[in-house]
Amino acid sequence: MKGLLIKDFKLMKTQKNYFLLILAITVGMSAFSEDVSFTMGFLTFVVSLFTISTISYDEFDNGNAFLFSLPITRTSYTLEKYALGLILGGGALVVSTLLILLTNASRNIRPVPEILLTALLILPVVLLIQAVMIPFQLKFGGERGRLAIIGVFGLLLVLGVVGVKIADALHIDIFGILEQLPAPGMGMLLALLFGAALILLLLSVRISLGIMGKKEF
Amino acid sequence: MLKLEHLQKRYGNFALDCSLTLPPGRVTGLIGPNGAGKSTTFKAILGLISADGGSVTIFGKALKDFTARDRAELGVVLSDSGFSGYLTVKDVIPVLASLYSRFDKVFFLEKARQFQLPLDKKIKDFSTGMKAKLKVLAAVSHDARLLILDEPTAGLDVLARDELLEMLREFMEKDEEHSILISSHISSDLETLCDDLYLIHEGRIILHEDTDVLLDNYGLLKASPEQYEKLDKQFLLRARKESYGYSCLTDQRQYYMENYPALAIEKGNIDEVITMMIRGAAL
């Protein structure tokens, strides 16, 4: 696992400039944008994508054949990609939160607890994104994987929009219903979100292990 | 060390059925034309592709029971794959050190310097020779017991090939239990390095012989049609029609030299044996 992580960080080094550019944009946004959640979400999401790019790098020029002749297993390879995703996503979230806290200290646009709460809400979303992207990338690889991921996110968006439209047509007021529900505490909502994200992540790990187990190099 | 028993793999028209044994302390060559099944055999040994039948046993262990720790005892070179081209030699060192507990960094760096491998250049920008040297160097620098080398010398000039073969000889000298399974197109590499050779054609092993026996006892007879008619054919393996008559492959060169002094008889060499075994007709 450690050897694979070292390899992936060495691979990501080749994208250093791209990485610095994203960081610069985030610094700019945290200094000038009012939208805290977007700034955090942006850095976290984009940095999470680096996990996917390491999978492409591994596949480049049939590199996987040699990689899997090294003393690693298909299981350790798969788990390492999730670990990398969590390290990158979690790290980016911490960095963006610190940046915002720093700029907020002089601008004072949001109370600190609200910023921290936003960060906590983004974390399960990061887990969800990893859970969806990694199996698709492992299954389809490179270009096709990227298209598949875009397709899935697009489909989810369309389903959401269609759902709301249908509800509108049937004169069901979704937001009204949501408001009438007994409001659980913020802690409860967070716990639910984390629970759901974790279950999906574990399911995703299982699917990925299945995909990698069957692969031929 | 390594035993394949009817290892099978089917791809459309191609069917592999390969059995071979590699005892400790031996260098065994797998030779054959392009598409004969060499790379498929190597990939199945390494578990990179799933076999459709038969068994692979390495160090007495079935492949399915092979762990990452067992894999650390192997040194592998694949013809069509290597370290990611986006890494540099410097990047590869900590990866190898982390994956192999017995990785010898001093040896690796010394050889890299000797081979003039640039440490900071991306591997994808290496020449064919530099890439090949790096692959073999990585395979021999962690005290493996068994090397599995698919075409390690492909595309190399004579000097580079000599350097690589020398490194393999050093590997064999380190421990008498060390073994190598190697495939190559270049028969002179195999003649000097291998103790025995398996010839694979269309997925099947069609010849297995000690290299010494092959070079000493095998021979090529060149016979006119009349000479061919009178020839005792019991020790002929293959015959082929030529413009002058027939060329015949035998594994009893001495017999024909003694009994047919008028016949043109050449010493066996690997290239001739391959060509005759594949192109010639069985008698």
Side-chain angles (χ1 to χ4, degrees):
Chain A
M1 177 84 89
K2 190 176 143 213
L4 288 173
L5 281 172
I6 296 173
K7 170 192 66 73
D8 282 344
F9 278 103
K10 298 283 182 194
L11 281 174
M12 283 187 290
K13 208 177 61 188
T14 59
Q15 290 171 297
K16 197 172 57 195
N17 291 338
Y18 181 51
F19 192 82
L20 287 175
L21 179 71
I22 291 160
L23 199 64
I25 293 172
T26 310
V27 170
M29 287 201 302
S30 66
F32 301 110
S33 166
E34 302 271 305
D35 193 339
V36 171
S37 60
F38 183 74
T39 309
M40 286 182 189
F42 169 76
L43 185 73
T44 311
F45 179 69
V46 176
V47 171
S48 295
L49 284 177
F50 279 87
T51 314
I52 300 305
S53 76
T54 64
I55 298 176
S56 302
Y57 276 125
D58 289 341
E59 282 171 352
F60 174 75
D61 226 2
N62 197 29
N64 267 339
F66 178 68
L67 192 59
F68 283 95
S69 73
L70 295 173
I72 63 163
T73 60
R74 291 168 187 236
T75 304
S76 67
Y77 177 85
T78 312
L79 296 179
E80 185 265 349
K81 290 300 174 199
Y82 283 90
L84 181 69
L86 295 183
I87 292 169
L88 290 178
L93 188 57
V94 169
V95 169
S96 57
T97 307
L98 287 177
L99 271 174
I100 285 167
L101 286 175
L102 209 69
T103 51
N104 192 60
S106 58
R107 291 202 298 164
N108 217 359
I109 50 167
R110 293 271 194 287
V112 172
E114 195 190 313
I115 294 174
L116 294 178
L117 196 64
T118 310
L120 276 179
L121 276 169
I122 288 176
L123 196 54
V125 179
V126 173
L127 298 185
L128 257 179
I129 290 169
Q130 306 282 350
V132 174
M133 286 193 309
I134 293 177
F136 270 98
Q137 191 69 24
L138 290 175
K139 172 83 185 168
F140 298 107
E143 213 47 51
R144 282 202 305 153
R146 224 162 295 154
L147 286 176
I149 291 165
I150 292 169
V152 168
F153 282 117
L155 190 70
L156 287 176
L157 190 71
V158 169
L159 281 177
V161 171
V162 168
V164 171
K165 289 271 179 216
I166 290 174
D168 271 356
L170 298 174
H171 302 292
I172 302 170
D173 183 3
I174 296 177
F175 295 103
I177 294 170
L178 276 180
E179 272 170 23
Q180 279 167 26
L181 286 174
M186 211 51 190
M188 185 68 173
L189 182 66
L190 266 176
L192 274 175
L193 268 174
F194 267 104
L198 272 179
I199 289 169
L200 281 171
L201 193 69
L202 289 177
L203 190 70
S204 160
V205 171
R206 275 214 53 174
I207 293 170
S208 293
L209 287 173
I211 292 168
M212 287 312 287
K214 284 198 207 76
K215 267 202 166 180
E216 305 232 318
F217 302 107
Chain B
M1 273 284 170
L2 172 69
K3 196 176 171 77
L4 308 183
E5 283 176 298
H6 292 288
L7 175 65
Q8 288 169 21
K9 182 75 188 175
R10 279 176 290 277
Y11 289 119
N13 288 332
F14 175 81
L16 176 78
D17 185 344
C18 180
S19 298
L20 67 82
T21 307
L22 173 56
R26 299 270 281 189
V27 182
T28 294
L30 186 62
I31 54 177
N34 289 332
K38 299 188 296 287
S39 289
T40 304
T41 305
F42 278 89
K43 286 187 173 182
I45 292 172
L46 294 166
L48 298 173
I49 54 175
S50 60
D52 295 328
S55 67
V56 176
T57 317
I58 312 178
F59 309 136
K61 253 187 175 180
L63 191 61
K64 65 174 170 46
D65 302 323
F66 221 56
T67 62
R69 187 175 293 193
D70 293 322
R71 249 172 219 281
E73 305 284 336
L74 302 177
V76 178
V77 170
L78 295 174
S79 57
D80 59 350
S81 179
F83 284 109
S84 172
Y86 290 96
L87 295 175
T88 64
V89 175
K90 226 182 205 167
D91 292 336
V92 163
I93 292 172
V95 177
L96 289 173
S98 164
L99 290 174
Y100 295 100
S101 56
R102 300 200 299 268
F103 176 66
D104 188 344
K105 188 178 168 185
V106 176
F107 169 84
F108 184 91
L109 281 171
E110 187 197 310
K111 285 283 178 191
R113 191 175 45 80
Q114 188 188 325
F115 289 155
Q116 297 177 321
L117 297 178
L119 298 183
D120 289 319
K121 197 172 173 177
K122 286 208 174 88
I123 295 169
K124 69 182 168 70
D125 299 325
F126 275 24
S127 69
T128 312
M130 289 198 285
K131 278 184 196 160
K133 285 175 187 170
L134 175 64
K135 284 187 197 180
V136 176
L137 179 54
V140 298
S141 59
H142 53 83
D143 194 24
R145 285 157 68 197
L146 169 62
L147 297 187
I148 294 182
L149 312 173
D150 189 13
E151 298 280 356
T153 56
L156 296 187
D157 60 55
V158 184
L159 285 175
R161 255 163 48 210
D162 273 352
E163 283 178 313
L164 281 192
L165 294 180
E166 192 48 43
M167 198 149 62
L168 297 181
R169 280 190 203 99
E170 282 170 18
F171 169 81
M172 288 304 288
E173 282 162 12
K174 263 192 222 161
D175 187 328
E176 55 188 32
E177 296 280 292
H178 279 176
S179 305
I180 302 178
L181 177 67
I182 181 172
S183 77
S184 175
H185 277 101
I186 299 144
S187 50
S188 60
D189 290 359
L190 299 162
E191 277 178 21
T192 54
L193 189 71
C194 295
D195 298 305
D196 62 334
L197 296 166
Y198 284 85
L199 174 57
I200 185 169
H201 178 53
E202 290 175 348
R204 284 169 194 280
I205 300 291
I206 56 170
L207 182 80
H208 173 219
E209 196 61 270
D210 280 354
T211 314
D212 291 345
V213 173
L214 204 147
L215 296 177
D216 294 342
N217 298 2
Y218 280 60
L220 207 63
L221 318 181
K222 302 204 163 162
S224 65
E226 300 79 42
Q227 284 174 318
Y228 182 73
E229 278 303 308
K230 291 181 199 145
L231 210 55
D232 178 357
K233 298 187 179 65
Q234 65 171 319
F235 302 119
L236 296 182
L237 300 173
R238 293 284 192 276
R240 189 159 81 144
K241 186 98 182 71
E242 305 280 0
S243 55
Y244 54 81
Y246 291 89
S247 65
C248 313
L249 181 72
T250 177
D251 57 354
Q252 302 285 339
R253 184 164 52 93
Q254 200 60 32
Y255 171 81
Y256 289 99
M257 281 168 69
E258 283 164 12
N259 293 295
Y260 301 91
L263 212 57
I265 302 178
E266 287 172 9
K267 251 186 115 162
N269 68 55
I270 291 178
D271 288 333
E272 291 286 6
V273 171
I274 294 175
T275 311
M276 283 302 289
M277 286 303 293
I278 289 168
R279 299 261 175 271
L283 293 165

